[in-house]
Amino acid sequence: MSDSGTDISNCDYLEFLEGSAFSFDRWIVTCAHCVASKMDEIDDSGQYYDLRINGDRNIQMPLESVKRSRLHDFAWIDASKCFDETMLPKVKINLGYRVQKGEIVTAVGYAAGRRVPEIIRAQVNEVATSEGNVRVERAFIKGMSGGPVFNRRLEVIGIIVKGSEESVYDMNGEFTPLHALNDYEPFC
């Protein structure tokens, strides 16, 4: 179900625990549900998250460095407090972008724990779901959560939040637009 015709091969991607992630400036962003299971188990310091860049290079981050929203499915890390953030690949973001119904977007993430990112092009069906997300006409696959959604100018405009089990594809994909997250530390 992927569309490899999209020219985003020069972008780098992050795989984060139970999902995907992306970075800009000194920030790493992902979905809260990608980090929630491990954060809920926290009992003391010394526990780490593993972050894999482009499927091969691993970085460990202290668990306490991860912050998450209780309102939105969103989590972030100030990488400068954990390691040299110049090691991270960066993407260009557009906080003011307003996606339109019928627009084609490209979502990228590590589906089902694969070592190569899945790239899915999809048309926007619904701009504001009851949760404030954007729904597209194709399924995103479990594991892509937290990955970036690009517009045609290769700017990140959203974060993948909902996908289907790989064998089922019973749910259209959803992403949270970045403009809905403007009040959070990485974006304000």
Side-chain angles (χ1 to χ4, degrees):
M1 291 197 80
S2 68
D3 181 353
S4 58
T6 305
D7 185 22
I8 55 176
S9 58
N10 60 341
C11 296
D12 291 308
Y13 309 104
L14 304 175
E15 182 180 3
F16 194 70
L17 194 65
E18 297 174 10
S20 302
F22 64 92
S23 60
F24 68 97
D25 296 332
R26 69 179 198 261
W27 302 102
I28 299 169
V29 296
T30 189
C31 287
H33 76 262
C34 293
V35 298
S37 61
K38 195 159 187 177
M39 286 187 82
D40 291 341
E41 297 169 5
I42 189 167
D43 53 6
D44 59 11
S45 61
Q47 294 182 351
Y48 290 88
Y49 276 113
D50 289 321
L51 176 70
R52 192 163 49 204
I53 300 174
N54 288 336
D56 57 2
R57 191 172 66 198
N58 285 345
I59 297 173
Q60 286 193 323
M61 294 175 298
L63 194 59
E64 62 269 8
S65 66
V66 180
K67 297 179 183 176
R68 65 179 170 165
S69 165
R70 301 266 182 222
L71 181 61
H72 292 94
D73 189 0
F74 175 62
W76 66 97
I77 299 121
D78 182 346
S80 68
K81 295 180 179 179
C82 306
F83 53 86
D84 179 6
E85 76 272 12
T86 61
M87 296 170 52
L88 289 174
K90 307 291 193 291
V91 294
K92 181 179 177 184
I93 65 168
N94 187 334
L95 291 173
Y97 193 83
R98 304 288 182 175
V99 68
Q100 302 295 314
K101 186 174 181 176
E103 181 176 350
I104 302 296
V105 296
T106 303
V108 179
Y110 285 91
R114 294 188 186 119
R115 305 228 0 135
V116 176
E118 188 81 17
I119 300 170
I120 296 178
R121 290 191 64 205
Q123 183 174 342
V124 172
N125 277 352
E126 188 177 350
V127 175
T129 66
S130 59
E131 293 139 353
N133 294 330
V134 174
R135 184 172 292 136
V136 299
E137 46 84 30
R138 292 190 57 196
F140 296 149
I141 304 167
K142 182 178 178 180
M144 292 180 72
S145 293
V149 177
F150 294 91
N151 63 14
R152 289 185 185 263
R153 295 187 302 240
L154 298 181
E155 301 166 319
V156 175
I157 58 167
I159 301 172
I160 300 167
V161 292
K162 289 190 179 176
S164 295
E165 293 291 337
E166 188 175 18
S167 60
V168 180
Y169 300 115
D170 63 346
M171 177 172 57
N172 288 345
E174 291 186 21
F175 68 91
T176 300
L178 291 186
H179 68 79
L181 304 172
N182 275 338
D183 293 335
Y184 290 99
E185 185 176 25
F187 304 120
C188 57

